[in-house]
Amino acid sequence: MGNDKSISNIIKLSDSARSLNDAVPMTSDSDDANAFIIDMLDRLMRIATKEDQSVLVYLLAMARIEAIESTKDK
């Protein structure tokens, strides 16, 4: 009864990912990805500031500067 796999509510990611990729072609835009990364670094910096993690804020700021510089080079 406990080993009956037909009643499981767990979805295999490998099967669902394959069917999603076949249905919708994914296009990646590097500008959108860079903007997303910069936005996420900003958000992480705000969270680290609230938690008073000065070293983490510094490292995130350096990563954000590098991300901005990499978008300028293109």
Side-chain angles (χ1 to χ4, degrees):
M1 190 152 171
N3 294 330
D4 188 8
K5 295 182 182 183
S6 64
I7 305 175
S8 176
N9 60 356
I10 299 173
I11 300 169
K12 290 183 181 179
L13 292 178
S14 60
D15 293 340
S16 63
R18 223 177 285 127
S19 65
L20 287 176
N21 286 339
D22 293 339
V24 179
M26 301 281 289
T27 58
S28 61
D29 186 6
S30 63
D31 293 335
D32 289 341
N34 287 338
F36 174 77
I37 291 169
I38 292 168
D39 184 51
M40 290 308 298
L41 288 169
D42 285 337
R43 291 171 191 250
L44 289 171
M45 284 173 53
R46 284 189 219 123
I47 293 169
T49 301
K50 288 180 184 177
E51 298 295 322
D52 197 27
Q53 299 290 327
S54 59
V55 174
L56 183 57
V57 171
Y58 173 77
L59 293 173
L60 290 168
M62 293 296 108
R64 184 179 179 277
I65 290 169
E66 288 295 323
I68 291 171
E69 290 296 320
S70 71
T71 59
K72 289 180 182 178
D73 292 340
K74 291 181 180 181

